[in-house]
Amino acid sequence: MMRAFFIFLLWAGFTQLSCGQSTPVTAADTLKPGENEHPVKAKFIPETDQRFFFFKNPSTGERARTNVWGARAGFLLPSNVKVGVGYYFTNQRAGGQWDGLNIRTRRLSYGTAYVEPYYFRRKYWELSTPIEAGFGTARYELEKGQEGNREIRRVWAVPLGVGVSFSVKFPPIFGFKPTRWFGLNFMTGYRLTLQGRVPSNPSTFNGLYYSVSPTIFLDRFYEDYKAWRSRK
């Protein structure tokens, strides 16, 4: 699947190169310096959303990395406020005990609703504040001492978060448009996950965090795909 996707990227890029001057001018290309992009009407935007969080574990004082994988979809309003829903999951090695059992791993899976006002949406970068609230489950894998007997327990979880997000959008390189579908995201903020029963001395998803991750701008991909279809 991934190989086919990258082959498609190459094919699409060379198609853009071969069309050369026939590529339509986009709204972003007509922006004046210091002017923000914004849709004329509500624009539906699906997105992949992966975040590589670093939290400070209060039990050890060390920075612990937590990878969060997910996707979200919403509407970007003419006021440059995005609203929508998403789904996420993450696996994390966890410490501590629960009723005499050793905690091995924790998996958090949840749906979320978000509001994200954009302060700047420029051609090659954007700055926003995502505010999120979700509901899901925390799944714990427990092990009993040397016996190796394992048990699974689940509790409800309510993840909450607020942050500042800065994204860099890559430009086309030598007319190769697929590079503009990608970028980098830098995020920092505070997360709090409320749970049903919290076992003793667990690793945590809570607290101040920072995240650096690649990002895919599916709206840019769709714009280029529509332009290619119109030429066909």
Side-chain angles (χ1 to χ4, degrees), residues 80-100:
N80 271 345
V81 175
K82 190 187 295 181
V83 294
V85 295
Y87 176 79
Y88 299 88
F89 69 91
T90 183
N91 293 313
Q92 182 187 45
R93 292 188 177 275
Q97 290 192 333
W98 191 346
D99 293 342

Side-chain angles (χ1 to χ4, degrees), residues 18-143:
S18 65
C19 292
Q21 300 299 324
S22 62
T23 302
V25 176
T26 66
D29 294 328
T30 62
L31 288 177
K32 299 177 181 178
E35 188 176 4
N36 285 329
E37 295 181 3
H38 64 88
V40 176
K41 59 182 180 179
K43 181 179 181 182
F44 178 71
I45 298 181
E47 302 170 280
T48 61
D49 192 6
Q50 59 284 335
R51 305 178 188 180
F52 303 141
F53 286 137
F54 287 84
F55 291 93
K56 187 174 182 180
N57 191 330
S59 62
T60 63
E62 298 177 351
R63 284 279 176 184
R65 175 172 169 173
T66 300
N67 298 339
V68 177
W69 307 93
R72 64 180 190 168
F75 288 92
L76 179 63
L77 306 178
S79 59
N80 271 345
V81 175
K82 190 187 295 181
V83 294
V85 295
Y87 176 79
Y88 299 88
F89 69 91
T90 183
N91 293 313
Q92 182 187 45
R93 292 188 177 275
Q97 290 192 333
W98 191 346
D99 293 342
L101 302 177
N102 297 321
I103 302 171
R104 292 177 53 85
T105 62
R106 174 167 57 178
R107 177 186 175 91
L108 185 66
S109 55
Y110 60 96
T112 186
Y114 69 91
V115 176
E116 186 173 5
Y118 284 81
Y119 307 112
F120 300 97
R121 289 191 70 243
R122 301 297 169 79
K123 187 174 181 180
Y124 296 123
W125 63 277
E126 58 189 32
L127 180 69
S128 63
T129 296
I131 303 169
E132 303 167 314
F135 182 82
T137 60
R139 174 185 179 274
Y140 288 86
E141 181 181 334
L142 311 174
E143 184 178 66

Side-chain angles (χ1 to χ4, degrees), residues 203-221:
S203 299
T204 181
F205 294 109
N206 300 340
L208 296 171
Y209 70 85
Y210 65 90
S211 170
V212 180
S213 61
T215 187
I216 302 175
F217 297 99
L218 291 179
D219 57 323
R220 287 184 154 201
F221 166 81

